[in-house]
Amino acid sequence: MNMTSKIDIKHLNLFYGDKQALFNVSLKIPAFQTTALIGPSGCGKSSFLRCLNRMNDIVPHARMEGKVLLDREDIYAPSVDVVELRTRVGMVFQKPNPFPRSIYENVAYGPRIHALFKRKSELDEIVEVSLKRAALWEEIKDRLHQPATRLSGGQQQRLCIARAIAVNPEVILMDEPCSALDPIATAKVEELIDELREKFTLIIVTHNLQQAARVSQQTAFFHSGYLVETGETGALFTMPQDEKTQGYITGRYG
Amino acid sequence: MMASLSSLRKRRLKERCFRWAGLLSVLLALLFLGGILGNIIYKGVPAFFRTEISSKLYPNLLNSHARYTADSLWIVASDDVDMYYKKGYADRLSPPQIQEIKTLKEGGQIRLAFNGGFFSHSDSREPELAGIWGGLVGSCLTLLITFMTAFPLGVGTALYLEEFAPKNQLTHWIEANINNLAAVPSILFGLLGLVLFIHFLGLPRPSALVGGLTLGLMSLPVIVVATRSALLSVPQTLKEAALGLGATPLQVLFHHVVPTALPGIMTGVILSLARALGETAPLLIIGMVAFIATPPAHFLSPATVLPVQIFNWSRSSEMGFIENTSGAILVLLLLLALLNGVAVLIRRRFEALK
C-alpha cells in the first residue's frame, strides 16, 4: 500500500466522560480509495469516523487525544476552522436525513452557505452535476422542486450523497449508509460508492461484511475500542492475521 | 387451552371496561361543556339586541341620558323597559309604565334592534348604554405589550438555554426554576407587577403598559417551556446533516432548527397569549379594576380589559348587567376561539409543507 495517505491518524484516544471509546488508534487512509471500517456494534468505528470531521465536537463531555492529519495538517490544531474542515470532509449518515425542503434546495444548501457560485445558472449546474454523480438525476429531474421527504429511502440517501458532493469535498465519510435501505437501493448506493472513488477519498462504516468486501480497497477491523487489524481488503478477508478478525469475519461472533 | 381461554376473556373484559369508561368520561365532559356554553349563549345573545322606542311621549321609559343626546328617530329604552320587553321581568316597572309600553307596542313605536352600542360604547353606569369597546381596546393594547415583551424574551431565552448554554448546575437550576414559574398562580405575578412596575418604576397605575408587562411576566415562563419543547423535538439528525455540510452553529439554528420548530413555537406563543387575554386576577392587583368609561387613548392612559370588565359587570345586581356579562363572555370566548384557530392554522400550514 504505497499510496499517498490522505488522512493520517496517529495515536488517537477518545473519551466520553470517564469512558474511553477508542484506544491508541493509528491508521493511514489512502487517497482515492475506499476504506471500510468493520467490527461488532459498539466497537468504536462510528466514533472513530466522527473524529475525522470533528463531529464529536458537538457531543458534550467528548474529549480526544492524538493527531488527525489531513494532508499533513492537524485538523485539531487551534487555527483550524471547523466549518472549513467540514467542507473538505463531508459526511453521509446512517439514516437518510434530507432537509424538509425541495430536492433542489437540499443540494443547493451547501453551495449557498459557502457562496460557491456567482450566478443562479452556476448553482443550477452544481445541483445537476451533483445529482448526476449521485446517480439520481434521471429519476428526479422533472420534480426538482418537490419536497425531498417524498422520495423513497434509497433515493433520499443518494440525495444526501449528492448534497455532500455539492460542496466538492475531498473526503466523504459514510456512517453505515445502507443500513436503512433495501437490497436494491443498497446495490445502487454501492455502485455509486465505487464510482465516487475516482474523485473522492471514501471511508465507510459498515456492518455488512460482503459490502465491505465489495466496495473497499482497504479494511480496518475494530474491536472494543482497539484497531485490531488493517490491510488490503482482499488479503484481510482471505488471510486475517488476528484471531479476533478471523472470528468476526467467519461469523463466530459479532 | 382452557386457562388461556379464560385469560383471553378476562383481557377482553378489561378492554371493554376501559373503553366504556373512556366513552363515559368524554360524554360527561361534553355534557358539562354543552351546559356551560348553552347557558352563556342563552343569557348572552340577548345582550346583542336592545329595545328602542320611537316616541318621546314617556321620558321615564327612555335611557337616562336620552334628554342630553341629540334627537334621533329610535331612542334606546331604559334597562328596565328592555328587560320587560325581552323577558317579561316587570319588578322594576310601575303598572302605569307597563300600560305605556303596551300602548307603544300597539302603535309600533317600540322594537328590538341590533345593539350596536354594546360594541361601540365603553363602560357605563347604565346597563343599556354600557359596551365593551373600552375593554376591547384595552385588551388589544395590553396584549400587544405582552406579545412584544414575552415573545422576544421568551423565545430568546429558550434558544439560548437549549442551543448555546453550557449544560451545568447553574443552567440546570435556571431551567428547573423556569419550569416551576410556569405553574405559579397568576395572581402572584400581579403582586410582582405591582411592586416592580408601579411601586419601583412608578409607571401609571391602571394602564395598558403595566397590565401588558405584568401579563408578559406571566407568559414568559410558559413561552420558554413551549419553545424549548418545540426545539427539543427537532431531530438531532437534521442538525448533524447541516453541521456535516459545514454550516455554522448559528446557520444550523436559523436555517434548520428554528424553521422546523416554528409551528410549535408559534402555537405555544399564541396559546400563552390566549391565556393572557383571559386573565383577570393579576390585573385586579395592579388596579385595572377601576371604572373607566373611555377607551384608552395610548399605552399610558387608564385602561381596563375585557375579562376585568366582565368581572365588574358580574358583581352588579342589575338584570341588564347580568345580560351584558354573558354577552361580553361570548365576545371573549369568540376572541379566544379565534386565537386558537390561528394556532391550528399555523400548525396545519407548516405541516403541509413537510
Side-chain angles (χ1 to χ4, degrees):
Chain A
M1 203 145 291
N2 261 338
M3 302 271 176
T4 48
S5 56
K6 182 73 185 168
I7 304 180
D8 193 351
I9 299 106
K10 289 180 173 167
H11 309 295
L12 184 110
N13 288 298
L14 180 73
F15 305 86
Y16 292 123
D18 299 332
K19 198 178 152 283
Q20 187 162 4
L22 290 171
F23 298 86
N24 197 25
V25 175
S26 294
L27 179 65
K28 286 185 196 317
I29 308 287
F32 302 113
Q33 291 204 358
T34 302
T35 300
L37 310 179
I38 60 169
S41 297
C43 69
K45 51 194 191 312
S46 288
S47 292
F48 175 74
L49 193 73
R50 292 165 67 96
C51 284
L52 305 184
N53 69 344
R54 294 184 56 176
M55 269 320 241
N56 281 330
D57 285 14
I58 58 168
V59 179
H61 310 300
R63 185 166 56 84
M64 82 134 243
E65 292 166 359
K67 280 203 162 100
V68 178
L69 307 177
L70 174 66
D71 289 336
R72 288 187 292 283
E73 246 186 290
D74 187 0
I75 65 167
Y76 282 87
S79 60
V80 168
D81 179 7
V82 185
V83 167
E84 200 232 320
L85 168 72
R86 288 183 187 146
T87 63
R88 292 175 66 192
V89 183
M91 192 159 190
V92 175
F93 296 85
Q94 184 171 358
K95 262 180 26 192
N97 55 356
F99 300 132
R101 305 181 178 191
S102 72
I103 295 169
Y104 182 93
E105 281 304 322
N106 262 275
V107 184
Y109 182 69
R112 269 193 214 283
I113 58 172
H114 300 300
L116 298 181
F117 60 94
K118 287 200 184 69
R119 280 187 304 273
K120 173 85 164 65
S121 59
E122 286 176 290
L123 181 61
D124 289 346
E125 201 183 317
I126 294 175
V127 170
E128 184 176 337
V129 169
S130 306
L131 284 169
K132 275 181 176 158
R133 275 206 198 140
L136 190 60
W137 177 256
E138 286 305 318
E139 291 163 54
I140 51 92
K141 62 184 176 191
D142 303 324
R143 43 182 176 140
L144 281 175
H145 297 286
Q146 284 185 14
T149 40
R150 279 195 213 150
L151 296 175
S152 73
Q155 288 174 327
Q156 285 189 12
Q157 196 59 302
R158 276 179 286 151
L159 177 66
C160 292
I161 294 172
R163 186 174 65 184
I165 295 173
V167 291
N168 207 16
E170 297 157 32
V171 181
I172 301 176
L173 310 175
M174 295 185 169
D175 189 357
E176 298 183 42
C178 301
S179 67
L181 306 183
D182 68 37
I184 295 169
T186 301
K188 279 191 179 160
V189 172
E190 281 182 15
E191 207 176 299
L192 175 60
I193 291 170
D194 222 35
E195 285 164 19
L196 291 175
R197 192 153 51 87
E198 287 174 22
K199 294 250 180 200
F200 308 99
T201 300
L202 294 136
I203 306 170
I204 174 171
V205 166
T206 179
H207 270 295
N208 182 336
L209 296 178
Q210 283 91 352
Q211 183 174 63
R214 280 193 298 264
V215 301
S216 73
Q217 286 71 53
Q218 179 185 247
T219 299
F221 173 65
F222 282 78
H223 189 267
S224 42
Y226 292 91
L227 174 60
V228 176
E229 190 172 348
T230 325
E232 193 260 319
T233 299
L236 187 125
F237 275 100
T238 47
M239 291 176 292
Q241 304 295 309
D242 195 282
E243 227 175 273
K244 282 185 193 142
T245 319
Q246 195 178 9
Y248 184 67
I249 61 177
T250 54
R252 251 183 286 147
Y253 65 84
Chain B
M1 193 63 201
M2 285 313 284
S4 78
L5 255 182
S6 85
S7 86
L8 181 65
R9 204 172 299 136
K10 226 184 232 171
R11 220 163 29 164
R12 285 193 176 147
L13 186 71
K14 269 187 194 166
E15 203 179 335
R16 215 172 303 135
C17 284
F18 187 75
R19 276 193 199 179
W20 277 110
L23 196 64
L24 198 72
S25 47
V26 168
L27 284 176
L28 265 177
L30 279 180
L31 194 75
F32 288 136
L33 190 70
I36 294 169
L37 265 182
N39 187 28
I40 292 173
I41 290 174
Y42 173 73
K43 282 192 183 156
V45 167
F48 301 147
F49 299 93
R50 65 184 176 198
T51 311
E52 294 176 345
I53 295 170
S54 67
S55 157
K56 287 195 151 184
L57 218 55
Y58 316 109
N60 63 350
L61 293 185
L62 303 177
N63 71 74
S64 48
H65 291 200
R67 59 199 132 119
Y68 310 119
T69 47
D71 279 351
S72 58
L73 186 58
W74 289 94
I75 302 157
V76 180
S78 81
D79 56 322
D80 300 329
V81 175
D82 189 48
M83 282 300 121
Y84 175 73
Y85 193 69
K86 277 180 189 161
K87 294 183 176 161
Y89 294 122
D91 305 3
R92 293 167 61 116
L93 292 175
S94 60
Q97 278 177 319
I98 292 172
Q99 196 50 50
E100 285 161 12
I101 293 173
K102 281 205 177 115
T103 322
L104 284 173
K105 214 189 247 174
E106 276 155 19
Q109 286 177 308
I110 186 165
R111 68 166 188 185
L112 214 55
F114 176 68
N115 190 356
F118 185 71
F119 298 97
S120 63
H121 292 170
S122 290
D123 204 0
S124 165
R125 296 284 180 215
E126 307 302 326
E128 70 273 23
L129 295 175
I132 56 170
W133 180 241
L136 264 182
V137 173
S139 272
C140 286
L141 293 182
T142 306
L143 216 57
L144 198 67
I145 295 281
T146 304
F147 176 76
M148 289 197 312
T149 50
F151 176 68
L153 281 178
V155 173
T157 306
L159 282 177
Y160 178 76
L161 279 178
E162 204 51 56
E163 304 291 332
F164 295 107
K167 302 272 174 283
N168 57 26
Q169 289 285 310
L170 179 70
T171 50
H172 199 75
W173 183 81
I174 292 174
E175 281 165 19
N177 274 296
I178 289 177
N179 290 342
N180 289 338
L181 273 182
V184 163
S186 58
I187 198 154
L188 292 185
F189 284 103
L191 285 173
L192 179 65
L194 179 71
V195 172
L196 191 64
F197 301 124
I198 294 173
H199 291 177
F200 185 69
L201 292 177
L203 296 173
R205 201 168 239 270
S207 63
L209 181 69
V210 174
L213 289 174
T214 306
L215 292 180
L217 283 179
M218 190 195 78
S219 308
L220 200 54
V222 183
I223 291 179
V224 174
V225 170
T227 305
R228 290 192 61 206
S229 72
L231 290 174
L232 264 178
S233 69
V234 176
Q236 185 67 23
T237 55
L238 190 66
K239 296 184 203 172
E240 283 185 342
L243 283 172
L245 282 174
T248 65
L250 215 60
Q251 284 171 330
V252 175
L253 186 62
F254 286 109
H255 293 172
H256 302 286
V257 176
V258 170
T260 311
L262 201 61
I265 296 175
M266 289 317 289
T267 311
V269 169
I270 290 174
L271 291 184
S272 76
L273 282 184
R275 197 186 139 197
L277 176 66
E279 198 55 73
T280 323
L283 300 180
L284 299 184
I285 300 266
I286 57 163
M288 283 181 102
V289 69
F291 172 82
I292 290 150
T294 49
H298 50 80
F299 291 109
L300 293 174
S301 46
T304 187
V305 295
L306 206 46
V308 171
Q309 194 158 15
I310 291 169
F311 170 74
N312 278 338
W313 284 350
S314 74
R315 291 187 300 171
S316 166
S317 57
E318 277 182 72
M319 295 294 294
F321 275 125
I322 293 172
E323 193 180 87
N324 282 353
T325 305
S326 297
I329 288 173
L330 268 185
V331 173
L332 186 64
L333 277 179
L334 214 68
L335 286 179
L336 290 174
L338 216 68
L339 272 180
N340 285 303
V342 169
V344 171
L345 267 184
I346 287 178
R347 188 159 278 262
R348 285 254 179 88
R349 224 192 111 86
F350 278 90
E351 260 157 21
L353 286 179
K354 274 183 195 165

